[in-house]
Amino acid sequence: MASDLSAAPDPLTVGRYTAASVLVSAADLQARVQALGEEITADYAGREPLLVGVLKGAFMFMSDLARAIDLSVEFDFMAVSSYGHSTRSSGVVRIVKDLDLDLADRDVILVEDIIDSGLTLNYLRRNLLARNPASLEVCALLVRENHKVDESILRYEGYRVPSDFLVGYGLDVDEKFRNLPDIRVVEVAVEEDSAA
Ligand code: IMP
Ligand code: MG
């Protein structure tokens, strides 16, 4: 039976969403992540940092970042969901999966995909600091130009980005496009039957 190629899912257009213009290429991402890993390697020499990734968005970044760190590191993950609209953070965060490891006296690096408003980050920092780590720093791949967090808590960051909704390299819209190797701006098609 001949396969119907027209029915094959398109990696760049899914339903109303198109992962359109590339904001950060795969090659640029790899180089930037490598540089962040080298910075962390130098800063944590003689220590064993514990990378805490925020699922799901940070998984790909954390995977590449960890391989760019030339030290013994440990991993843990937490999953959070923010109440309210799916693309707008309310700042009220629910822990869906908590950490397995004890943070007491550990050098913790919180690894995030994107700091948008920063409300999620502010919540997570408070939550993790209450567990008495020896230190806590933040490593975010993307940071919005108009974020609302104290600049001094953003220790490691990949890129400053504008307010477009972004996908790829772990970031999703409705769970799509996380596997793209680059970061793209999403375009949403207007429904044909919608009122003008
Ligand atoms: P914040 O609490 O407003 O900083 O929201 C942060 C979270 O919102 C991120 O960890 C992402 O999960 C999600 N988010 C914000 N902007 C985007 C985007 O452009 N693409 C995909 N997810 C996003
Ligand atoms: Mg996230």
Side-chain angles (χ1 to χ4, degrees), residues 29-75:
L29 274 175
Q30 292 304 318
R32 189 74 194 99
V33 174
Q34 186 63 39
L36 286 171
E38 286 168 13
E39 229 184 294
I40 289 171
T41 301
D43 292 351
Y44 287 80
R47 293 186 282 167
E48 185 177 47
L50 171 59
L51 304 181
V52 169
V54 183
L55 297 173
K56 301 173 197 170
F59 84 99
M60 200 170 288
F61 173 43
M62 183 146 143
S63 161
D64 285 339
L65 180 71
R67 282 176 283 186
I69 299 173
D70 192 16
L71 295 171
S72 172
V73 300
E74 293 183 4
F75 291 74

Side-chain angles (χ1 to χ4, degrees), residues 17 80-94 114-121 144 146 148 162-166 172-174 188:
Y17 301 113
V80 299
S81 91
S82 64
Y83 292 103
H85 195 275
S86 60
T87 59
R88 220 24 109 249
S89 175
S90 62
V92 183
V93 173
R94 187 166 58 94
I114 180 166
I115 310 303
D116 188 19
S117 66
L119 290 167
T120 305
L121 177 67
R144 295 280 192 215
N146 61 349
K148 296 184 183 64
S163 58
D164 312 89
F165 202 78
L166 305 173
D172 74 304
V173 59
D174 285 354
V188 185

Side-chain angles (χ1 to χ4, degrees), residues 78-127:
M78 64 197 298
V80 299
S81 91
S82 64
Y83 292 103
H85 195 275
S86 60
T87 59
R88 220 24 109 249
S89 175
S90 62
V92 183
V93 173
R94 187 166 58 94
I95 295 178
V96 176
K97 183 223 169 289
D98 204 351
L99 299 173
D100 297 323
L101 303 179
D102 185 359
L103 300 194
D105 303 322
R106 299 301 308 267
D107 291 304
V108 176
I109 304 176
L110 179 61
V111 181
E112 259 283 29
D113 52 356
I114 180 166
I115 310 303
D116 188 19
S117 66
L119 290 167
T120 305
L121 177 67
N122 281 337
Y123 172 86
L124 287 176
R125 275 191 81 249
R126 271 198 314 275
N127 184 285

